[in-house]
Amino acid sequence: MNSLLKDGPIEEAFSQNTFLAAFEIKLSQVSDLEDAERLMKKLQFLGLNFDPFQDDPGSECVNILNQLGLQGLTFNPYEATNIILRLLDITEERLKNLKQ
């Protein structure tokens, strides 16, 4: 029983890390500043309007979550918030690099 409890968070962390690594790779291939800025605006919209504790996040938030492939990673509200914040950090760093 204890091993089952320990496996869950490790698997979730692995899928989060895998998703974030894949996101970072895809984002590194974006060379257009406007595309990166559009992505940042979507993530900022989620950061301001997406409440992972609500049952109905709203149609615009759902559309953005689906576009980014996040719909399966938002079951745990704390992890959803963490992922969105980490995506914002990754995207902000990419924007800085593109502006240089």
Side-chain angles (χ1 to χ4, degrees):
M1 181 72 168
N2 286 339
S3 65
L4 291 176
L5 295 176
K6 291 179 184 175
D7 290 343
I10 292 171
E11 289 175 15
E12 289 172 8
F14 178 75
S15 64
Q16 276 185 27
N17 290 334
T18 303
F19 176 82
L20 291 169
F23 178 85
E24 196 163 4
I25 290 168
K26 287 180 184 177
L27 188 59
S28 70
Q29 297 170 353
V30 172
S31 59
D32 186 23
L33 182 61
E34 290 180 15
D35 288 342
E37 287 175 339
R38 251 182 262 127
L39 175 60
M40 185 62 148
K41 286 181 183 180
K42 288 179 183 183
L43 289 169
Q44 288 172 335
F45 182 87
L46 282 179
L48 293 172
N49 298 292
F50 176 61
D51 183 357
F53 291 96
Q54 288 185 345
D55 290 334
D56 182 22
S59 62
E60 187 63 30
C61 288
V62 170
N63 287 338
I64 294 171
L65 291 170
N66 289 337
Q67 288 173 4
L68 298 176
L70 288 170
Q71 67 277 10
L73 298 173
T74 59
F75 293 115
N76 182 326
Y78 300 104
E79 290 174 5
T81 302
N82 185 333
I83 290 170
I84 292 169
L85 291 174
R86 290 174 72 183
L87 292 176
L88 278 163
D89 285 342
I90 292 167
T91 306
E92 181 180 22
E93 186 66 33
R94 181 64 181 150
L95 274 170
K96 286 179 185 178
N97 290 337
L98 286 173
K99 288 180 180 179
Q100 291 179 356

